[in-house]
Amino acid sequence: MFDTVIHSGTLVTASDVFRGDIGIKDGRIAAIAETISGGDRRIDAGGRLVMPGGIEAHAHIAQESSSGVMTADDYYTGSVSAAFGGNSSFIPFAGQHRGQSVDDVLATYDERSRRSVIDYSYHLIISDPTEAVLNDELPRAFKRGITSFKVFMTYDLMNLGDGGMLDILTVAKAHGAITMVHAENNEMVKWMNRRLAAKGLTAPRYHAISRPELAEEEAINRAISLAKLVDAPLFIVHVSTAGGAALVQRAKLDGVKLFAETCPQYLALTRDDLDRPGMEGAKFMCSPPLRDRETQQALWRHVQSGTFESVSSDHAPYRYDASGKFTAGPDAPYPKIANGMPGIAARLPYLFSEGVVAGRISLKQFVALSATNAAQTFGMTAKGSLAPGMDADIAIWNPDVTRKVTLADQHDNMDFTPFEGMELTGVPEIVLNRGNIIVEHGTLRAAEGQGRFVPRATVDLTGKPGYLAKELDPAHNFGTRIAP
Ligand code: DUC
Ligand code: ZN
Ligand code: ZN
């Protein structure tokens, strides 16, 4: 009756930890029971944790940066690396650059994503919200199940300005979609860049100085205010500061339709890593930048107490060579060095080891942060949990093995990992996507292109009442309808 039975394991969901077996039929979980006999294939999960396959909600795959640098990972290598890291699906970005039509962007990414070994969707990055984009192309994207997109408050070539952001928030809300935002104050960063350049301070470590914590905090506060004004859902990506996280926490308490993530690099690394000899610091350049020990501790407390829906990798793989970090030369000043670091395979082993094994978070929180919340926020309704009818996206973890992080174990197309040498306990040994084993004890079992595009549902706003600004409420604004 079952194609596959996973037996004798400890099952973990965001709400429960229990002994049980899983029966899989036609790519979906058909049964969960204390014991299930039979099955064409039986996987012994004795002594193992059986959890929903991770959903990586923040990754840059086969994407050109605004200055034209292509990521080292394409949809094959990026998805293989994700699978080795315990993920069964991911949502990379499809990036619109100014002047491009969204239809064309999506056609390009549809071509690139054919190679994925795991299921996928895209968040759409909008940098040019023309009338055609707002009125025609975004509604077409929503219709095919692309229900989230990212906007930037920084970078001259990407930043929309507050009015552009309000337009995007309003269109997204009208369709039940969610706007994601990279929140850093562009003018503060540019001012810092000018000051540092005038003093000749352009080594990689000054990247961390050029993007102050206050630049993130100011922009998060503004982004929340913009979203509140039009009562639209907002997701703040890669929160890196204690102040920013506290603003998110406060706004959530106020009922704002707000979601947020942080990333392992902000929990594990600091700006001292940018101060390595020579140009080594370039490996640790990401935006927002790495901070300090106190910030790490504060961010962990926010992970523990529910400020963040997810811990995402922000995998942005630029190699330590002329194809990635050094397209502007081997000694380029930091503003000309590509921003971003790899981490799609390290995200979950890091979170498991430093979170669960270190006693900071529970197993249930691990599942919520790695899969369940992303599925709910981004509308992957058949993924992110273990229940009959769900996709059989499953990761079987050995919680007892300790390994040192190596580049080879990342299985990506990179020439470094910023997590090199870290000792982590817990390994995803077997990973399934829709019932197919994709990784088994260090061996890839998936074929190129077997991942499928996942049309996504609209954002789940349960428990988020929102906010009605008086000036947008017809009961208080002389009966004026300003936004839907
Ligand atoms: N933002 C990201 O989300 N990733 C890489 C660089 C950036 O600015
Ligand atoms: Zn960003
Ligand atoms: Zn990113």
Side-chain angles (χ1 to χ4, degrees):
M1 173 180 180
F2 298 113
D3 304 324
T4 304
V5 170
I6 302 172
H7 68 92
S8 311
T10 298
L11 276 50
V12 188
T13 68
S15 59
D16 298 288
V17 182
F18 55 105
R19 282 291 322 279
D21 294 356
I22 298 181
I24 297 168
K25 181 78 186 155
D26 297 330
R28 298 205 294 178
I29 296 176
I32 296 181
E34 277 181 77
T35 54
I36 297 177
S37 55
D40 297 341
R41 174 176 51 192
R42 290 184 67 79
I43 299 175
D44 183 355
R48 305 293 190 266
L49 300 170
V50 180
M51 305 197 268
I55 299 174
E56 171 60 79
H58 189 151
H60 302 270
I61 306 291
Q63 186 190 335
E64 300 97 346
S65 72
S66 56
S67 43
V69 184
M70 186 54 131
T71 57
D73 281 312
D74 59 23
Y75 270 81
Y76 180 70
T77 60
S79 63
V80 165
S81 183
F84 276 100
N87 297 286
S88 301
S89 60
F90 64 169
I91 316 177
F93 294 91
Q96 181 207 27
H97 296 295
R98 295 213 170 130
Q100 288 182 323
S101 96
V102 164
D103 290 343
D104 289 350
V105 170
L106 288 176
T108 301
Y109 280 87
D110 284 341
E111 203 46 53
R112 293 175 182 174
S113 59
R114 277 179 203 281
R115 303 187 60 205
S116 183
V117 306
I118 61 175
D119 288 356
Y120 60 91
S121 175
Y122 325 112
H123 308 292
L124 200 50
I125 291 176
I126 303 297
S127 64
D128 201 359
T130 61
E131 288 299 311
V133 167
L134 294 172
N135 299 330
D136 305 323
E137 296 195 299
L138 286 183
R140 267 200 293 280
F142 300 134
K143 263 201 199 107
R144 55 168 291 197
I146 295 171
T147 55
S148 55
F149 39 80
K150 180 179 178 185
V151 298
F152 285 81
M153 297 172 85
T154 190
Y155 302 132
D156 283 347
L157 293 173
M158 303 298 290
N159 154 31
L160 297 186
D162 295 350
M165 249 186 93
L166 284 167
D167 284 342
I168 295 284
L169 284 160
T170 306
V171 171
K173 176 189 176 184
H175 290 86
I178 187 165
T179 304
M180 306 164 80
V181 66
H182 176 134
E184 284 185 290
N185 179 307
N186 199 36
E187 292 300 321
M188 285 189 190
V189 173
K190 285 168 66 176
W191 188 87
M192 291 293 285
N193 282 341
R194 285 194 298 272
R195 290 273 155 155
L196 289 163
K199 292 182 183 303
L201 303 177
T202 60
R205 65 182 179 177
Y206 294 106
H207 170 77
I209 304 307
S210 72
R211 311 185 82 91
E213 293 183 1
L214 278 169
E216 176 174 287
E217 290 165 21
E218 187 285 324
I220 286 179
N221 190 44
R222 185 156 36 103
I224 291 171
S225 300
L226 295 170
K228 269 174 89 170
L229 179 65
V230 292
D231 194 25
L234 179 68
F235 188 106
I236 304 191
V237 298
H238 50 49
V239 175
S240 69
T241 56
L247 288 165
V248 171
Q249 183 190 38
R250 178 75 244 169
K252 282 186 165 188
L253 276 176
D254 290 344
V256 178
K257 294 168 176 162
L258 188 61
F259 304 79
E261 69 180 9
T262 189
C263 312
Q265 49 272 38
Y266 302 116
L267 301 168
L269 306 169
T270 68
R271 75 172 52 125
D272 288 347
D273 289 300
L274 282 93
D275 193 21
R276 298 198 183 197
M279 296 299 280
E280 281 275 307
K283 294 178 179 175
F284 298 88
M285 282 178 54
C286 58
S287 290
L290 304 177
R291 309 292 183 179
D292 55 24
R293 293 251 164 258
E294 298 85 79
T295 305
Q296 289 180 345
Q297 281 161 16
L299 290 175
W300 267 117
R301 282 198 295 280
H302 283 285
V303 170
Q304 291 166 317
S305 57
T307 302
F308 300 120
E309 272 64 32
S310 303
V311 174
S312 307
S313 73
D314 195 2
H315 183 74
Y318 300 109
R319 292 172 65 103
Y320 189 66
D321 64 21
S323 73
K325 293 284 179 186
F326 302 121
T327 51
D331 299 314
Y334 74 80
K336 292 195 181 312
I337 297 176
N339 260 316
M341 57 172 70
I344 202 164
R347 172 182 78 118
L348 296 182
Y350 173 80
L351 186 64
F352 189 88
S353 188
E354 288 298 310
V356 178
V357 179
R360 291 186 173 104
I361 58 172
S362 69
L363 275 172
K364 291 184 279 191
Q365 283 177 298
F366 173 80
V367 169
L369 291 163
S370 63
T372 312
N373 292 344
Q376 284 169 10
T377 309
F378 295 118
M380 284 187 155
T381 51
K383 298 191 184 292
S385 193
L386 304 176
M390 306 284 284
D391 286 354
D393 284 8
I394 297 170
I396 303 175
W397 282 65
N398 184 332
D400 300 319
V401 176
T402 299
R403 287 203 311 222
K404 268 202 171 139
V405 175
T406 64
L407 175 62
D409 282 345
Q410 307 309 297
H411 299 273
D412 56 10
N413 191 32
M414 284 298 294
D415 52 358
F416 71 92
T417 163
F419 303 98
E420 181 85 44
M422 241 176 234
E423 283 214 337
L424 299 180
T425 299
V427 173
E429 288 180 335
I430 300 179
V431 185
L432 295 91
N433 177 206
R434 276 180 290 101
N436 301 307
I437 293 181
I438 53 175
V439 164
E440 189 174 19
H441 297 287
T443 302
L444 183 70
R445 300 279 183 220
E448 180 171 328
Q450 76 177 53
R452 302 246 176 90
F453 176 77
V454 181
R456 292 184 284 122
T458 55
V459 53
D460 180 354
L461 295 172
T462 309
K464 296 186 187 284
Y467 178 87
L468 186 54
K470 288 176 194 151
E471 297 78 5
L472 272 84
D473 178 0
H476 292 93
N477 70 3
F478 314 111
T480 318
R481 278 204 71 79
I482 290 170

